[in-house]
Amino acid sequence: MEMTKPSVDVNVVQVGPDAELMFEENMIILFNSSVPNDLKEIAIVHDGGGLAIALQAGDEMVIDKEVFQVLFVGDKANETLADLGHATFHFNGESHSDMPGTVCLENKTIPPINENTVISFRR
Protein backbone atom coordinates (compact mmCIF):
# COMPACT_ATOMS: atom_id res chain seq x y z
CA MET A 1 0.00 0.00 0.00
CA GLU A 2 1.40 3.34 -1.06
CA MET A 3 1.48 6.14 1.50
CA THR A 4 0.19 9.45 0.24
CA LYS A 5 2.25 12.49 1.11
CA PRO A 6 0.47 15.13 3.18
CA SER A 7 -0.50 17.99 0.93
CA VAL A 8 -2.73 21.05 1.14
CA ASP A 9 -3.79 23.19 -1.82
CA VAL A 10 -5.38 26.63 -1.56
CA ASN A 11 -6.58 28.94 -4.30
CA VAL A 12 -5.79 32.65 -4.19
CA VAL A 13 -9.02 34.65 -4.22
CA GLN A 14 -7.57 38.14 -3.72
CA VAL A 15 -4.21 39.84 -3.98
CA GLY A 16 -4.01 43.01 -1.93
CA PRO A 17 -3.23 46.12 -4.00
CA ASP A 18 -0.02 46.67 -2.02
CA ALA A 19 1.08 43.01 -1.90
CA GLU A 20 3.67 43.91 -4.55
CA LEU A 21 5.51 45.90 -1.85
CA MET A 22 5.89 42.65 0.12
CA PHE A 23 7.16 40.83 -3.02
CA GLU A 24 9.88 43.48 -3.32
CA GLU A 25 10.97 42.52 0.23
CA ASN A 26 10.98 38.81 -0.80
CA MET A 27 7.96 37.96 1.30
CA ILE A 28 4.28 37.18 1.10
CA ILE A 29 1.67 37.40 3.83
CA LEU A 30 -0.87 34.61 3.46
CA PHE A 31 -4.33 34.73 5.08
CA ASN A 32 -7.67 33.03 4.66
CA SER A 33 -10.85 35.14 4.43
CA SER A 34 -10.51 36.13 8.11
CA VAL A 35 -7.79 38.63 7.12
CA PRO A 36 -8.07 41.82 9.21
CA ASN A 37 -8.95 44.91 7.17
CA ASP A 38 -5.68 46.64 8.06
CA LEU A 39 -3.70 43.75 6.50
CA LYS A 40 -5.94 43.12 3.49
CA GLU A 41 -4.00 45.67 1.40
CA ILE A 42 -0.74 43.68 1.63
CA ALA A 43 -2.06 40.13 1.98
CA ILE A 44 -2.53 37.19 -0.36
CA VAL A 45 -6.02 35.92 0.55
CA HIS A 46 -6.87 32.26 -0.10
CA ASP A 47 -10.04 30.17 -0.01
CA GLY A 48 -8.76 27.58 2.45
CA GLY A 49 -9.75 27.65 6.08
CA GLY A 50 -7.09 26.70 8.55
CA LEU A 51 -4.34 24.67 6.91
CA ALA A 52 -4.40 21.10 8.16
CA ILE A 53 -0.72 20.40 7.57
CA ALA A 54 1.93 21.18 10.16
CA LEU A 55 4.81 22.63 8.17
CA GLN A 56 8.35 21.63 8.98
CA ALA A 57 11.78 22.25 7.50
CA GLY A 58 12.19 20.09 4.41
CA ASP A 59 8.58 20.53 3.25
CA GLU A 60 7.81 22.32 0.00
CA MET A 61 5.67 25.31 -0.85
CA VAL A 62 4.57 25.31 -4.48
CA ILE A 63 3.25 28.47 -6.15
CA ASP A 64 1.62 27.29 -9.35
CA LYS A 65 4.45 25.00 -10.48
CA GLU A 66 7.40 26.79 -8.83
CA VAL A 67 8.79 24.78 -5.89
CA PHE A 68 10.34 26.38 -2.80
CA GLN A 69 12.04 24.38 -0.04
CA VAL A 70 10.89 25.24 3.49
CA LEU A 71 14.02 25.99 5.55
CA PHE A 72 12.53 27.18 8.85
CA VAL A 73 9.12 27.27 10.56
CA GLY A 74 8.61 29.69 13.45
CA ASP A 75 7.14 28.51 16.77
CA LYS A 76 3.73 30.13 16.09
CA ALA A 77 3.50 29.63 12.31
CA ASN A 78 1.65 26.30 12.40
CA GLU A 79 -0.77 27.61 15.02
CA THR A 80 -1.69 30.66 12.91
CA LEU A 81 -1.83 28.56 9.73
CA ALA A 82 -4.30 26.19 11.43
CA ASP A 83 -6.42 29.00 12.93
CA LEU A 84 -6.30 31.72 10.27
CA GLY A 85 -4.59 30.20 7.24
CA HIS A 86 -1.94 32.81 8.03
CA ALA A 87 1.83 33.05 8.08
CA THR A 88 4.49 35.36 6.72
CA PHE A 89 6.66 33.62 4.14
CA HIS A 90 10.19 34.99 3.65
CA PHE A 91 11.99 33.89 0.49
CA ASN A 92 15.37 34.74 2.02
CA GLY A 93 17.33 31.49 2.23
CA GLU A 94 17.58 31.77 6.03
CA SER A 95 17.26 28.86 8.46
CA HIS A 96 16.18 31.02 11.42
CA SER A 97 13.96 33.99 12.20
CA ASP A 98 13.21 35.88 15.40
CA MET A 99 9.61 36.29 14.26
CA PRO A 100 7.55 33.34 15.58
CA GLY A 101 4.94 33.48 12.78
CA THR A 102 7.50 33.32 9.99
CA VAL A 103 8.29 30.57 7.52
CA CYS A 104 11.64 30.90 5.71
CA LEU A 105 12.09 29.48 2.23
CA GLU A 106 14.72 29.26 -0.46
CA ASN A 107 16.04 32.57 -1.76
CA LYS A 108 14.37 32.45 -5.17
CA THR A 109 12.24 34.93 -7.09
CA ILE A 110 8.57 34.82 -6.16
CA PRO A 111 6.53 34.02 -9.28
CA PRO A 112 3.54 36.19 -10.20
CA ILE A 113 0.62 35.59 -7.84
CA ASN A 114 -2.86 36.43 -9.07
CA GLU A 115 -6.44 35.42 -8.37
CA ASN A 116 -6.73 31.67 -9.08
CA THR A 117 -3.02 31.02 -8.40
CA VAL A 118 -2.74 27.69 -6.59
CA ILE A 119 -0.45 27.53 -3.55
CA SER A 120 0.36 24.06 -2.24
CA PHE A 121 2.20 22.75 0.76
CA ARG A 122 3.56 19.22 0.61
CA ARG A 123 5.90 16.89 2.40
Side-chain angles (χ1 to χ4, degrees):
M1 179 166 58
E2 185 177 318
M3 296 288 288
T4 57
K5 294 181 178 180
S7 179
V8 172
D9 297 341
V10 297
N11 296 305
V12 174
V13 295
Q14 181 181 351
V15 177
D18 294 331
E20 192 69 38
L21 298 173
M22 297 293 100
F23 297 171
E24 291 172 10
E25 299 293 325
N26 293 329
M27 71 174 82
I28 63 172
I29 298 173
L30 198 63
F31 256 108
N32 65 19
S33 59
S34 70
V35 60
N37 283 334
D38 58 337
L39 294 177
K40 197 174 266 189
E41 299 292 307
I42 59 172
I44 305 295
V45 183
H46 63 84
D47 64 358
L51 300 185
I53 186 173
L55 288 180
Q56 61 190 33
D59 288 349
E60 294 175 332
M61 177 183 197
V62 184
I63 302 174
D64 282 334
K65 296 191 180 358
E66 186 74 32
V67 178
F68 298 88
Q69 197 77 31
V70 174
L71 304 175
F72 170 81
V73 179
D75 293 344
K76 290 285 188 188
N78 281 314
E79 181 181 326
T80 58
L81 280 167
D83 292 346
L84 307 168
H86 164 65
T88 300
F89 294 86
H90 283 265
F91 298 80
N92 59 5
E94 298 290 326
S95 58
H96 178 76
S97 173
D98 292 332
M99 303 297 288
T102 295
V103 176
C104 296
L105 302 115
E106 288 179 88
N107 185 2
K108 294 184 351 189
T109 302
I110 302 169
I113 299 176
N114 306 295
E115 285 183 27
N116 300 317
T117 292
V118 175
I119 299 175
S120 305
F121 299 94
R122 63 188 188 199
R123 181 145 301 136

